[in-house]
Amino acid sequence: MAVFIGLVASTALAEEIPRKSASAPPVVSRSIPIDSIWYYGSVGERSLRRLEPDLLVFRDTPENIKKYSSPEALKDQREKAKRSLVLKIEKALRGLPIADPKITPAPGFVVHGTGREALQGIVNVLVEEKKPEGNFSSKDELSLVFFTHPTGVGTGIESVEVEGNSINITYFLTSNSTLLSNPRLYLIPLGELPAGKYAVNMARPANEASRNQPGFPPIPAGVEKYTVCRPFDFVVSE
């Protein structure tokens, strides 16, 4: 089961994952469970907003609508929202340039922590525009941030594989009925990694066309170059 926010549809395009890191740590091969990935979206059990239950509420049931709709409740929500890191991240994502062949997306990046602990690292890069960290400790819990620019193309994560010192992300791009989709962000938990230099690779799958909504054209090759964050490397030390 793939993580996918937005309408379902897609195209076929296969890419090689050629990059290998120069120094290999002890071989570790494992899959990151798709249902462990958090994502930017206002709904769903893995929405980033679920990481701040004390600050953000979901008015998604009749009971919650009634509970959180009084003037006092709305005022309380506004005050708590001011402290939300997730809302700052969402605002920064919406402020990214619309995907266009003239732009070059920034690389993805790694942050300290998993779940809520990782939010400050995302704020540092996307909101405060600090340079992403590139060196980490083997004792650190880490998360990987994969994101896209606003575009009419839907995006989803099909798989994340840790193979030795390579982290391979397979994602799909889909055409749909929306003229402009929201940007996407996926927070992928890596946990602790052995010391070494890691290469993060990104590729669209060969079976992408199977996800395409009937009647919509496939996404051509090359769109990812100005839509999706770029591959990158990082180092883990003892």
Side-chain angles (χ1 to χ4, degrees), residues 180-237:
L180 183 64
S181 298
N182 284 324
R184 305 298 181 205
L185 182 145
Y186 300 92
L187 181 61
I188 303 168
L190 299 176
E192 295 181 1
L193 294 173
K197 184 176 181 180
Y198 287 81
V200 178
N201 307 297
M202 305 169 186
R204 294 164 64 180
N207 67 345
E208 193 178 55
S210 65
R211 299 179 179 278
N212 203 46
Q213 186 174 347
F216 288 86
I219 306 300
V223 169
E224 67 281 354
K225 294 180 181 179
Y226 56 86
T227 302
V228 177
C229 63
R230 293 184 284 123
F232 65 99
D233 299 331
F234 67 97
V235 174
V236 176
S237 303

Side-chain angles (χ1 to χ4, degrees), residues 2-15 99 105 146-159 169-178 181-186 202-213 216-229:
V3 173
F4 177 47
I5 317 301
L7 298 176
V8 178
S10 188
T11 140
L13 181 68
E15 293 181 1
F146 174 96
F147 66 93
T148 74
H149 284 248
T151 175
V153 174
T155 311
I157 299 290
E158 184 165 287
S159 66
I169 301 173
T170 302
Y171 66 95
F172 53 87
L173 301 180
T174 66
S175 57
N176 57 52
S177 59
T178 60
S181 298
N182 284 324
R184 305 298 181 205
L185 182 145
Y186 300 92
M202 305 169 186
R204 294 164 64 180
N207 67 345
E208 193 178 55
S210 65
R211 299 179 179 278
N212 203 46
Q213 186 174 347
F216 288 86
I219 306 300
V223 169
E224 67 281 354
K225 294 180 181 179
Y226 56 86
T227 302
V228 177
C229 63

